[in-house]
Amino acid sequence: MGNIRNPRKHLAPLLENGDEFIIGFGVKSLTTDGVLYSDLTKLIKEEISELLVRGKKSSLRENISGKYQRTIPPKKIEELKHISYYNKKGKYISFDRIFEVWEKELVHKFNFKLFTGVSPQDERIVHFEKLIYDSSDEMLMLKVKAQMNIANILGGVFSLYNKNLELIVPVSETLDRDMFKNVGGNIKEKLEIVKEFLANQTNKESEANSYRFSVLNEFVITDVKNAKGVLMIILFIILKMIIL
């Protein structure tokens, strides 16, 4: 997944104001950055109980150093800086100089920590602390955006969970009939993907459910129905989506 700019579009279809949710990712989807993050490995192996997120990339760096932006209205200020270097002849140069720069203010400095847990499907999850959804809370949206982007950097994807670390899936209706019955054509082809996902939900040896669900979300799920009391996913995918 790419950089998240508008977290609301990911939350609004799944949550209502007051709902609790957790952002995280499964350990089987780690990126190169995640694999090379030694403290993350310690967290996954439970050698440490929590991890303060830090690193060189944007969201990782901003987590503990903070994010700054120009003041509104923007204005310039004078800033004294010390400069030192060796010139081409090997002579050491050192002096102070006043620069005119844009004044900036701190937007946020979250100091997020990561934890681990196990989902009901025995999938090990790396996750942040629980949040409560409020569509009008701008600071919450900044937190969610930062967490989603950190998850993308370390885990390749982000997923939404409830307090029990179960994947949050929207259920819009309960149907009194069997899943996949009288289904044909292109929809049937798409449902094969869903069948594989559902089969893996009960496979205790599989630990990549979060990754699979995040991939399914890329197909723009617009409706999910519950059939005979068992969670079933029916995709009404926009026509422009092509399933290879």
Side-chain angles (χ1 to χ4, degrees):
M1 290 187 178
N3 187 54
I4 302 300
R5 298 183 181 276
N6 179 15
R8 278 190 177 86
K9 73 177 185 179
H10 299 280
L11 301 180
L14 302 174
L15 302 171
E16 295 182 357
N17 286 339
D19 285 350
E20 299 177 339
F21 68 101
I22 296 171
I23 295 172
F25 53 91
V27 301
K28 292 299 182 180
S29 65
L30 295 184
T31 62
T32 300
D33 290 306
V35 171
L36 296 179
Y37 196 161
S38 59
D39 284 342
L40 181 59
T41 300
K42 292 179 181 178
L43 179 68
I44 293 170
K45 291 182 178 180
E46 297 184 295
E47 295 175 8
I48 56 177
S49 59
E50 60 183 45
L51 170 62
L52 177 63
V53 179
R54 64 183 74 232
K56 295 181 179 180
K57 289 194 174 182
S58 57
S59 296
L60 304 181
R61 182 182 66 252
E62 292 169 359
N63 185 52
I64 58 171
S65 62
K67 181 177 181 178
Y68 292 82
Q69 68 179 15
R70 291 181 185 179
T71 57
I72 300 175
K75 66 176 181 178
K76 287 192 173 182
I77 59 174
E78 291 184 342
E79 186 174 290
L80 180 65
K81 293 186 177 182
H82 180 72
I83 299 174
S84 60
Y85 63 95
Y86 288 92
N87 64 16
K88 293 182 179 180
K89 296 181 179 181
K91 182 179 178 180
Y92 180 69
I93 308 295
S94 177
F95 61 93
D96 292 326
R97 178 178 172 183
I98 295 177
F99 289 86
E100 193 176 59
V101 298
W102 291 106
E103 183 179 34
K104 293 186 177 181
E105 59 185 356
L106 181 67
V107 179
H108 62 69
K109 184 177 180 181
F110 294 130
N111 292 318
F112 290 132
K113 292 181 179 180
L114 285 171
F115 307 86
T116 60
V118 179
S119 75
Q121 290 76 37
D122 284 347
E123 179 186 13
R124 180 158 292 280
I125 306 297
V126 177
H127 63 88
F128 296 96
E129 291 185 296
K130 179 181 67 179
L131 298 172
I132 299 177
Y133 183 57
D134 181 347
S135 59
S136 63
D137 189 336
E138 294 301 327
M139 182 53 68
L140 174 65
M141 292 304 125
L142 289 177
K143 289 181 179 180
V144 170
K145 177 182 175 181
Q147 290 186 5
M148 287 178 171
N149 284 320
I150 290 172
N152 281 345
I153 292 172
L154 300 178
V157 295
F158 70 86
S159 293
L160 300 181
Y161 304 89
N162 63 20
K163 62 182 180 181
N164 298 319
L165 293 182
E166 295 174 310
L167 283 164
I168 295 177
V169 181
V171 176
S172 60
E173 185 181 351
T174 297
L175 303 178
D176 186 22
R177 60 180 175 81
D178 292 331
M179 175 81 167
F180 305 126
K181 188 174 182 180
N182 298 324
V183 177
N186 291 331
I187 289 295
K188 185 175 181 179
E189 296 174 3
K190 297 176 177 66
L191 287 175
E192 289 300 321
I193 300 173
V194 182
K195 285 183 182 179
E196 180 181 353
F197 168 73
L198 292 174
N200 282 311
Q201 284 292 86
T202 57
N203 182 354
K204 297 297 183 180
E205 297 178 358
S206 172
E207 295 184 351
N209 294 326
S210 295
Y211 178 77
R212 292 190 189 93
F213 184 69
S214 296
V215 170
L216 284 172
N217 269 337
E218 293 296 302
F219 295 125
V220 190
I221 299 172
T222 60
D223 200 8
V224 177
K225 300 180 185 295
N226 202 36
K228 291 193 174 180
V230 179
L231 180 62
M232 298 295 184
I233 301 177
I234 300 178
L235 304 184
F236 291 85
I237 304 176
I238 55 177
L239 294 178
K240 68 178 180 179
M241 299 301 298
I242 299 176
I243 306 300
L244 298 180

